[in-house]
Structure formats: structure tokens, C-alpha cells
Amino acid sequence: MELVLDEKKIRKGKPIGLPYVGSKKKISKKIVEIIKQNFGTDKPVYDIFGGGGAITAELILNGLDVHYNDLDKSITDMFQRVISQDREWIKTLIVSREEFVWIRDKQDKTVDDELKLLVNSFGNNRKGYLYGVDIADDKYELAVKIISNHDMFSGYKQTDTYKNRMATVQQLQQLGQLQQLWQLQQVNDVVTTNLDYKNFSNITESILYLDPPYENSVGYNEICPIKIPVEKYQTMRDKLVKLPSGTKLIEDCIEYKLGTSDNNRNRMYYKTVQDVFDSSAFYDWAFSMSKNNVVLISSYEISDDRFEPVFEFKTARSTFQGGTGKRYEKLFMVKQ
């Protein structure tokens, strides 16, 4: 089976979604148009591994009924937050390196905090600031000045402020992406959930768009609650203080450790521990779901021979480790 795509029918304009690692933004417009041309627009679409919402956003802009799901509630909360606010609020998301570090090290973060980390981090990883120490202040000041003087995110390279400095300001590019996403508030409400894919086992007569972790990758399973009671926090910290520096303790799928640098020594950090994604179990589930639904899986390769590639995106390429080969993102379906 091979799916068709008449590219002349693809929506005009830029793809939208959160600036998110692993986003399908580059091919989201094609994916949604493939769904429309091959399966129509009457069935609801479940974007079960929704990530930064690029597919969900494109489905909404094309008038399809969509259910947006991702295990990481902070991601879906950020998506909802952006489309519910105004443009002036978007301007507040640029922060200095100093403020970024302060937010990152907070124990309890707001949705706005998470967005500030996303917009101002290298690779959108919410961990490291976008610029090195030697240029961070200059870049931040330039971004603030461009917004203040010209009130723009996109097209800033045409301003006199930029031309006098000639420095790419990635923070403005990130805000530009959020501004594009913001237009969804005028289109539709978004239904969001934060469930494991198996919770959708009763769905029928729908289209399931599935973008799971690649085979043998880490980072998906039931996520444990990240907020812990104060008593638990104190108990684990007391244990770690008595152990050698760098020791990690894991209890109930949460990893605890103390800071080791001068500015965070003896401060405790914790995070959920996620296991290797069980691709085999996922393929069994996807195969069973295909009996009563249209099931589309997005991946580079699938080892399960019950599935076959039905479309290949020549512009969405990845390089194998070692750089010896190339592979392209594909859509897979159950063999007919």
C-alpha cells in the first residue's frame, strides 16, 4: 500500500508548534494533508504521542477534530498556555542567563517558568542557557532592545538595531514560533490529556497518529508524580548528606541526588526515572488497534514485519551513528 500526496493542496504558511526537541514541525503540514487526502476529514484524529503539538496544531488549522495527548503534562500545559494568552505576554518569556538558572533550580515551577526554560535553552532542552557566559548578556540585551524599539520577533534582521550589531538572536526566533502557535486561540479549543497510549485501547472508528520513541530509545513509560511531600524531600536529603558526593538514590521510580558545584552544594534535585520504551508491546497494541481504526506510525524504521512503509519524507532525514548511512522519516501502516 502506498499513500498519495498532492503537495499543491498543502496549507500555505509556516508550520506551527512549540519549539520542542523531536518535533515533527518540518513535515507536519505534509502529514496532515496525507491524512486528509487518503482518509478524509470526518474521523477524529488522536495525536497520542503529541510532543510539542505540531501535528495537533496543523490538524486544528485544517479543521479536523483532534485529541492531543502526551505523558509530559508540562508540555501540554505549555501548549494550552500559549494559545490562551496575548502577544504582550509572549514578550515576557525572554529571560537573562541569571534568571534562567534561578528558574531552572526552583523546586516548584509554574507553566510560565517551563516556557521560559524552553524558549531560552540550548536545543530547547530546558537545562542549559541558549548562549555561553561570554555572550549571554549581550544577546539578551539585544533581544530586549529589538522588542522594545521595534515590537517584533520575526523579521528583526531588517531593523537598524540588528544591523548595528549583526548578531543572530535565537530567543526572538523562538518567540516567533510561539506567536504563530498563539493564532490557534482564534480557531478552536484543544482537548488535551496526559495518558499512556494503552489508555486509548477502546477507541474505534478514528485515526490514530502515533509518533512513539524510536526503537530501543529511553524516555517513555508511565511517569511518576514529580511533586513529593516535604517530609519525603527532607528524608532523602538527610540520607544523601551522609553518603559520598555524587551518590544517586532511586525510590519509587524517582532519582534523588545532591548538587556538587559550589553554588548548589547539598541542594537536592530529583526527577522521574523512565525506562526503555517497549517497542514490541507497542507494535502489538498498534496492530490490534488497526482492526477498528486507521493507524499511522511515524518512524525511521520498524522491525516488526506486520507493518510496512506507506510514505517516505525525503526532507526529514537522520544519520545513523557513525555517519555511515542515512535514513528518512516514514509513515507505516499494517500490511494489507
Side-chain angles (χ1 to χ4, degrees):
M1 181 179 180
E2 187 171 329
L3 301 183
V4 299
L5 173 62
D6 180 353
E7 296 199 11
K8 294 179 181 179
K9 296 182 179 180
I10 295 175
R11 180 185 68 83
K12 306 300 181 185
K14 294 182 179 180
I16 64 177
L18 292 174
Y20 185 71
V21 177
S23 171
K24 288 295 185 291
K25 195 182 301 181
K26 288 184 178 180
I27 55 175
S28 60
K29 291 166 59 178
K30 288 185 177 181
I31 289 174
V32 171
E33 192 57 39
I34 287 171
I35 290 174
K36 290 169 59 182
Q37 292 181 23
N38 292 272
F39 308 109
T41 59
D42 295 334
K43 296 179 183 291
V45 182
Y46 286 78
D47 186 9
I48 293 179
F49 300 82
I55 299 298
T56 287
E58 192 62 35
L59 287 164
I60 293 172
L61 289 177
N62 278 270
L64 278 74
D65 182 16
V66 59
H67 185 119
Y68 173 40
N69 179 78
D70 196 90
L71 270 183
D72 189 344
K73 190 174 185 299
S74 70
I75 294 296
T76 57
D77 284 350
M78 284 191 284
F79 187 98
Q80 291 278 23
R81 179 70 168 155
V82 171
I83 67 175
S84 67
Q85 299 301 305
D86 60 22
R87 190 173 182 277
E88 290 302 308
W89 168 83
I90 292 178
K91 297 177 185 179
T92 68
L93 298 179
I94 287 185
V95 298
S96 66
R97 182 184 181 88
E98 182 179 5
E99 185 178 355
F100 178 92
V101 173
W102 178 77
I103 293 172
R104 184 193 63 194
D105 292 343
K106 286 172 61 177
Q107 182 176 346
D108 296 315
K109 298 179 181 63
T110 65
V111 177
D112 284 16
D113 286 339
E114 295 290 0
L115 275 162
K116 289 174 182 178
L117 294 179
L118 184 73
V119 168
N120 296 277
S121 59
F122 180 77
N124 307 120
N125 63 10
R126 291 186 276 174
K127 297 178 181 178
Y129 193 62
L130 194 55
Y131 310 117
V133 177
D134 54 335
I135 62 172
D137 289 344
D138 286 343
K139 292 276 193 175
Y140 169 69
E141 290 171 5
L142 178 58
V144 171
K145 192 172 183 179
I146 289 174
I147 291 175
S148 175
N149 292 348
H150 308 285
D151 192 24
M152 62 168 50
F153 310 138
S154 303
Y156 68 88
K157 291 184 179 180
Q158 304 304 315
T159 66
D160 291 337
T161 303
Y162 169 78
K163 291 177 180 178
N164 290 335
R165 297 283 291 275
M166 294 299 289
T168 300
V169 187
Q170 290 173 279
Q171 287 163 308
L172 293 180
Q173 296 173 354
Q174 311 278 39
L175 293 191
Q177 293 182 45
L178 294 186
Q179 181 179 241
Q180 294 162 17
L181 183 60
W182 170 67
Q183 67 184 286
L184 290 184
Q185 68 175 214
Q186 303 171 16
V187 179
N188 206 343
D189 291 328
V190 184
V191 178
T192 63
T193 52
N194 307 103
L195 303 171
D196 183 84
Y197 69 84
K198 293 185 287 293
N199 284 275
F200 295 90
S201 297
N202 293 327
I203 298 299
T204 60
E205 302 300 320
S206 300
I207 298 172
L208 307 185
Y209 172 75
L210 308 172
D211 182 21
Y214 299 125
E215 291 187 14
N216 300 316
S217 64
V218 175
Y220 185 96
N221 255 341
E222 291 281 5
I223 294 181
C224 301
I226 195 60
K227 285 193 174 183
I228 61 173
V230 174
E231 296 80 5
K232 180 68 173 180
Y233 182 93
Q234 190 62 49
T235 298
M236 297 306 296
R237 185 185 178 282
D238 290 345
K239 288 182 180 180
L240 286 166
V241 167
K242 300 174 183 177
L243 298 172
S245 177
T247 298
K248 299 177 182 178
L249 295 177
I250 297 177
E251 286 191 12
D252 300 325
C253 74
I254 298 179
E255 176 187 280
Y256 302 85
K257 66 177 181 178
L258 295 179
T260 56
S261 63
D262 290 338
N263 64 347
N264 69 354
R265 193 178 305 280
N266 292 334
R267 179 172 183 171
M268 192 175 76
Y269 298 87
Y270 57 92
K271 64 179 181 179
T272 57
V273 179
Q274 299 171 323
D275 300 325
V276 173
F277 182 69
D278 189 342
S279 296
S280 178
F282 167 73
Y283 294 144
D284 287 342
W285 177 84
F287 181 80
S288 67
M289 292 299 293
S290 70
K291 296 175 182 178
N292 297 303
N293 300 278
V294 174
V295 174
L296 289 169
I297 303 176
S298 183
S299 188
Y300 291 115
E301 300 294 341
I302 289 183
S303 60
D304 192 315
D305 60 11
R306 291 175 293 180
F307 299 86
E308 63 179 351
V310 292
F311 195 89
E312 184 174 46
F313 300 94
K314 293 293 187 181
T315 56
R317 185 176 66 192
S318 175
T319 303
F320 289 116
Q321 287 185 340
T324 58
K326 296 176 181 177
R327 53 183 179 173
Y328 297 92
E329 188 80 15
K330 306 178 186 73
L331 291 177
F332 292 82
M333 295 183 69
V334 170
K335 288 180 179 178
Q336 299 298 310

